[in-house]
Amino acid sequence: MRETLIIERIRQLAQDFTGDKTVIRGIGDDCAILRPRAHEDLVFTSDFVLEGRHFTLDTHKPADIGHKALARSLSDLAAMGAEPVFCLVSLAIPASLSGSTWITGFYKGLLALAKEYRVILAGGDLARFEKVVVDVTCCGRVPRGTALLRSGAKPGDRIYVTGELGGSAHGFETRKGKHWKRHLRPEPRIAAGIALRKAGISAAMDLSDGLSLDLARLCKESRTGAEISSNRLPLASGASIHHALHGGEDYELLFTAPPKLKIRLPVTEIGVITKQHPGKILLDGASLLSKGFDHFS
Amino acid sequence: MRETLIIERIRQLAQDFTGDKTVIRGIGDDCAILRPRAHEDLVFTSDFVLEGRHFTLDTHKPADIGHKALARSLSDLAAMGAEPVFCLVSLAIPASLSGSTWITGFYKGLLALAKEYRVILAGGDLARFEKVVVDVTCCGRVPRGTALLRSGAKPGDRIYVTGELGGSAHGFETRKGKHWKRHLRPEPRIAAGIALRKAGISAAMDLSDGLSLDLARLCKESRTGAEISSNRLPLASGASIHHALHGGEDYELLFTAPPKLKIRLPVTEIGVITKQHPGKILLDGASLLSKGFDHFS
């Protein structure tokens, strides 16, 4: 298809859902326009999903790729305790995929998730390239001054995670069953993020690159250490401790809260924030190396 | 370098300039945070800059690529008459460029332009990939309800452009002189966009894919036609009519205004908006085909 026709098609698909009245202009102009509400902060994140790194064309259907691209960004909104508002989707594809089937599949997967979380597809970019490249920017909102940060953890705070760990890495190895499906279609923890923000927890982030690396990042931003116990980790069925510690893409929330704070969600306490060297993590009393996903290591 | 070190380096570079107080959290958390001002609309755009399509590593220095990546997005803000606020930069690079020289060059080029237009680098993504891929999201602000749209042109409105046309396409062919430099380092027309918004023009967009294609897009959104004269086009020195009509990446502003509106900027009137079929353009009385840059034609 010609670019103009592709954009017209995307615009039609996007118009099936136009929920939020604060996005006053979407696809079709040089920019999307948002009219902010009073007393809110807006949060923004961008995340790549790249062929050969986050997916392959033979294992992932176009709808899986669309889902995953949006889910990765929404997971960052969840980590801030934000309610999703809109997304911008930059998509580059080879000429061989520029017929309507692949593109429609991609946007249908993305928009199904967008509809579920009331995210408006407000714009983006489209280009031809040798490989499939997606970069999704998401905007979310929180009441002013309430966004969850990585930097709020204090020594003595308890460390928690939502859900189970290691499922995505395990699914990636076995390529079958519910964990593979989970790897293909991760669910952003938007509702949990909003509930935790309202509960008044001290710090949060999402688990995209593995607990060992992500917990170290949270601790560095908070200038604390942490101590966790392997026997407390909520392992997904079939997943190993290694999967849970170093496997990426679980997209669960990692957070901290003062010991007295009651958390009324199904979460698991896995350890405690310490006064040690910023970013230093102990597992069962011994130093834990961050073996999570580092793009350039 | 390891990813953590690269991000630390980018964060240091970005901190050299922290102008706008409304960006209350930048690099270092899951999301950037913006505290909107009262009575403003926010505008958002994302643009790719891709190796082999928008640049090559042997013709473009890393600083050129950083400059161009931000300039493309800022040009979209200019088209809305917006004042820049912040950007998110998603960068994917091959392992061979992950040493500090290339990355530092890229961000220095990008941040020099960011400083000029008071844009904060508030976040983004970093990944390894076979080729260099950049996607820059920019956020700008306008007083509520004043953003310039593509859809505001009315029959009888005069059509104008800022600056000269065809220079970038000419420079791309000759690879030398001021037009090549202009191709490498396009200047977003931020000041002109703000002035035109205040002047009360009827429609605007930026010229990124060539006048013939971009004017047709503006007309389609406004549900009008247009008639332009070849002898009125402000040709860059050495550029042909073909360059001016169909060459991309001039990043000048194309806009329309009622005939009585006085434009106190150095602009050129090139034609008039008509009642013809939406998107139909006449050049010197004959139909003009849109031969501008279409990624998938």
Side-chain angles (χ1 to χ4, degrees):
Chain A
M1 286 195 287
R2 278 180 66 96
E3 189 175 350
T4 317
L5 292 176
I6 298 174
I7 292 169
E8 208 38 60
R9 178 92 183 103
I10 297 167
R11 199 168 171 175
Q12 281 162 9
L13 289 169
Q15 276 172 352
D16 288 352
F17 168 66
T18 48
D20 193 300
K21 295 285 186 288
T22 62
V23 178
I24 60 175
R25 177 105 5 186
I27 298 170
D29 220 304
D30 294 276
C31 293
I33 308 179
L34 176 76
R35 183 156 295 170
R37 293 176 184 161
H39 313 302
E40 73 183 5
D41 285 339
L42 297 169
V43 304
F44 299 92
T45 181
S46 287
D47 286 274
F48 272 132
V49 172
L50 305 170
E51 181 182 348
R53 297 204 65 84
H54 301 98
F55 67 89
T56 61
L57 290 176
D58 51 334
T59 53
H60 290 63
K61 292 177 191 155
D64 295 330
I65 301 167
H67 176 106
K68 185 167 182 169
L70 180 58
R72 273 172 65 80
S73 279
L74 286 180
S75 183
D76 283 326
L77 298 192
M80 308 296 282
E83 175 196 335
V85 180
F86 72 86
C87 65
L88 305 176
V89 177
S90 293
L91 172 67
I93 50 172
S96 59
L97 300 180
S98 69
S100 102
T101 314
W102 196 93
I103 292 177
T104 302
F106 172 87
Y107 279 100
K108 282 195 170 171
L110 188 144
L111 287 163
L113 188 67
K115 194 168 182 176
E116 191 178 342
Y117 292 102
R118 304 183 62 77
V119 188
I120 289 172
L121 172 57
D125 197 6
L126 183 68
R128 200 168 75 188
F129 201 52
E130 290 94 317
K131 296 212 165 187
V132 176
V133 168
V134 197
D135 188 49
V136 175
T137 298
C138 270
C139 167
R141 59 163 57 101
V142 292
R144 191 160 285 189
T146 65
L148 298 174
L149 304 178
R150 293 183 182 179
S151 54
K154 301 258 181 311
D157 280 2
R158 301 302 188 254
I159 304 168
Y160 301 84
V161 293
T162 60
E164 297 175 336
L165 301 182
S168 186
H170 178 56
F172 183 71
E173 282 176 13
T174 59
R175 303 283 165 114
K176 62 182 186 192
K178 65 175 182 178
H179 294 322
W180 174 233
K181 202 180 159 203
R182 171 74 183 282
H183 180 87
L184 289 174
R185 300 280 183 125
E187 277 300 321
R189 300 305 184 199
I190 294 290
I194 292 171
L196 292 171
R197 163 171 56 77
K198 291 178 177 169
I201 64 167
S202 52
M205 70 181 294
D206 71 321
L207 287 168
S208 56
D209 292 336
L211 177 64
S212 65
L213 187 55
D214 288 331
L215 178 55
R217 287 170 173 158
L218 184 144
C219 285
K220 272 181 197 158
E221 291 298 326
S222 293
R223 304 189 170 277
T224 64
E227 205 170 331
I228 58 175
S229 308
S230 59
N231 61 13
R232 288 189 164 194
L233 298 178
L235 299 186
S237 63
S240 65
I241 290 278
H242 186 88
H243 289 140
L245 286 172
H246 310 301
E249 308 210 81
D250 278 323
Y251 298 109
E252 295 293 348
L253 297 179
L254 168 69
F255 66 97
T256 64
K260 285 182 180 167
L261 192 76
K262 192 89 181 164
I263 308 290
R264 297 175 201 282
L265 290 169
V267 297
T268 307
E269 188 181 326
I270 63 167
V272 64
I273 293 293
T274 66
K275 286 182 188 168
Q276 295 189 58
H277 183 75
K280 184 168 175 67
I281 313 294
L282 297 180
L283 174 72
D284 304 332
S287 267
L288 176 66
L289 287 178
S290 294
K291 290 185 195 155
F293 191 73
D294 182 312
H295 287 89
F296 294 99
S297 65
Chain B
M1 286 196 287
R2 278 181 66 98
E3 189 175 352
T4 316
L5 292 176
I6 298 173
I7 292 169
E8 206 40 58
R9 178 92 182 103
I10 298 168
R11 199 169 172 174
Q12 281 163 8
L13 289 168
Q15 277 173 351
D16 288 352
F17 168 65
T18 49
D20 195 299
K21 296 285 185 292
T22 62
V23 178
I24 60 175
R25 178 109 1 190
I27 300 170
D29 219 303
D30 294 275
C31 294
I33 309 178
L34 176 76
R35 182 156 296 169
R37 294 177 184 161
H39 314 300
E40 74 182 4
D41 286 340
L42 297 170
V43 304
F44 299 93
T45 182
S46 286
D47 286 275
F48 272 133
V49 172
L50 305 170
E51 182 182 347
R53 296 203 67 83
H54 301 99
F55 66 89
T56 61
L57 290 177
D58 49 335
T59 54
H60 290 62
K61 291 177 191 154
D64 296 330
I65 300 166
H67 176 106
K68 184 167 184 170
L70 180 58
R72 273 172 66 80
S73 279
L74 286 180
S75 183
D76 283 327
L77 298 193
M80 309 295 283
E83 175 197 335
V85 180
F86 73 85
C87 65
L88 305 176
V89 177
S90 292
L91 172 68
I93 49 172
S96 58
L97 300 181
S98 69
S100 101
T101 314
W102 195 93
I103 292 177
T104 301
F106 172 87
Y107 279 99
K108 281 195 170 171
L110 187 144
L111 287 164
L113 187 67
K115 194 168 181 176
E116 191 179 342
Y117 292 101
R118 304 183 64 77
V119 188
I120 290 171
L121 172 58
D125 198 5
L126 183 68
R128 200 168 75 187
F129 201 51
E130 292 92 317
K131 295 210 166 190
V132 176
V133 168
V134 197
D135 188 48
V136 174
T137 298
C138 270
C139 168
R141 58 164 57 100
V142 292
R144 191 161 284 190
T146 66
L148 298 174
L149 304 179
R150 293 183 182 180
S151 56
K154 302 257 183 308
D157 281 1
R158 302 300 187 255
I159 305 168
Y160 302 85
V161 292
T162 60
E164 299 175 335
L165 301 183
S168 185
H170 178 56
F172 183 71
E173 282 176 14
T174 58
R175 303 282 165 113
K176 62 183 185 191
K178 66 176 183 180
H179 294 322
W180 174 233
K181 201 180 158 201
R182 173 74 183 283
H183 180 87
L184 289 174
R185 298 281 183 124
E187 276 300 323
R189 299 304 184 199
I190 294 291
I194 292 172
L196 292 170
R197 163 170 59 75
K198 290 179 177 170
I201 65 166
S202 53
M205 71 181 294
D206 71 321
L207 288 168
S208 55
D209 292 337
L211 177 63
S212 64
L213 187 57
D214 288 332
L215 178 56
R217 287 171 174 157
L218 184 143
C219 286
K220 272 182 195 158
E221 292 298 326
S222 292
R223 304 188 169 280
T224 65
E227 206 172 329
I228 58 174
S229 308
S230 59
N231 61 14
R232 289 190 164 194
L233 299 178
L235 299 186
S237 63
S240 66
I241 290 279
H242 187 89
H243 288 140
L245 286 172
H246 310 301
E249 308 210 81
D250 277 324
Y251 299 109
E252 294 294 347
L253 297 180
L254 168 70
F255 66 98
T256 64
K260 285 183 180 169
L261 192 76
K262 192 89 182 164
I263 308 290
R264 297 175 200 284
L265 289 170
V267 297
T268 306
E269 189 180 324
I270 62 168
V272 63
I273 293 293
T274 67
K275 286 181 186 169
Q276 296 190 59
H277 184 76
K280 184 167 173 69
I281 313 294
L282 296 181
L283 174 72
D284 304 333
S287 265
L288 175 67
L289 287 178
S290 295
K291 290 185 194 153
F293 191 74
D294 183 311
H295 288 89
F296 295 99
S297 65

